[in-house]
Amino acid sequence: IKGYKNIMYSLHFYANEWSHNQYLPSKLSYARQKNLPVMVTEFGMSAASGGGGISKSSTGKWLRRLNKSNISYFCWSLSNKNESCSLLSSRTRKTSGWKTSDLSAAGKYNDQNTEQEGEADEASPFWKQRMDIMQENCVKTLDVTKNER
């Protein structure tokens, strides 16, 4: 891409997708070599469909790679939908103030393995800062999910 000065590379990946693990790391490296700012605006521990189980090993590789390069990232999906990508347990009905017991396996992994400031506890700064910001969208998602049941 030539002729642009204000440009960023936005990357989406799903850790349980073979093709994402095979091809996207080289695209990320290429963007970094070209001195482009990079942000992972969406990633999931599951397949792109939202289901299929989570891959902790692939997620760990991605997070180490991103942290090493100081690349920001956002995990999908802040919902209680009965999918492996959901960060909240399908039993959770709260729209804010989540505790570790309200999280899914993916949510617990992210709480324990993403870089955060402060100490992790039942109301860790990670969840308070990030989930409070997304509360409005989550309320909409929770309402949709309730209607699907």
Side-chain angles (χ1 to χ4, degrees):
I1 299 174
K2 296 181 180 181
Y4 295 93
K5 292 183 181 180
N6 190 12
I7 190 167
M8 174 182 270
Y9 182 60
S10 172
L11 177 68
H12 289 193
F13 73 85
Y14 286 87
N16 208 9
E17 289 281 347
W18 177 86
S19 61
H20 292 202
N21 293 311
Q22 287 292 199
Y23 303 113
L24 293 180
S26 63
K27 291 183 181 223
L28 174 63
S29 294
Y30 183 76
R32 298 290 292 167
Q33 289 169 2
K34 295 295 181 181
N35 293 316
L36 288 174
V38 177
M39 178 181 277
V40 175
T41 54
E42 180 178 313
F43 84 89
M45 296 180 68
S46 65
S49 67
I54 60 174
S55 175
K56 292 179 181 178
S57 63
S58 292
T59 301
K61 287 178 189 175
W62 274 105
L63 294 180
R64 285 187 296 279
R65 180 182 297 122
L66 298 173
N67 291 334
K68 182 178 178 185
S69 298
N70 293 314
I71 296 172
S72 296
Y73 46 85
F74 299 92
C75 187
W76 179 259
S77 146
L78 182 57
S79 76
N80 67 342
K81 193 171 182 182
N82 191 19
E83 293 182 330
S84 55
C85 68
S86 297
L87 296 176
L88 299 172
S89 164
S90 60
R91 300 178 317 274
T92 301
R93 296 291 176 251
K94 293 191 275 181
T95 58
S96 65
W98 299 290
K99 296 184 179 198
T100 303
S101 59
D102 297 316
L103 305 179
S104 67
K108 289 174 184 171
Y109 180 90
N110 275 279
D111 191 34
Q112 295 167 359
N113 293 283
T114 54
E115 287 194 351
Q116 55 188 294
E117 294 181 19
E119 296 179 21
D121 58 26
E122 281 295 302
S124 73
F126 171 79
W127 290 104
K128 180 162 180 31
Q129 291 170 6
R130 287 161 181 83
M131 292 189 181
D132 283 352
I133 290 168
M134 295 185 274
Q135 181 178 351
E136 183 179 330
N137 290 334
C138 183
V139 171
K140 292 175 187 172
T141 304
L142 289 169
D143 289 342
V144 170
T145 303
K146 287 179 188 175
N147 292 333
E148 290 178 359
R149 292 183 184 176

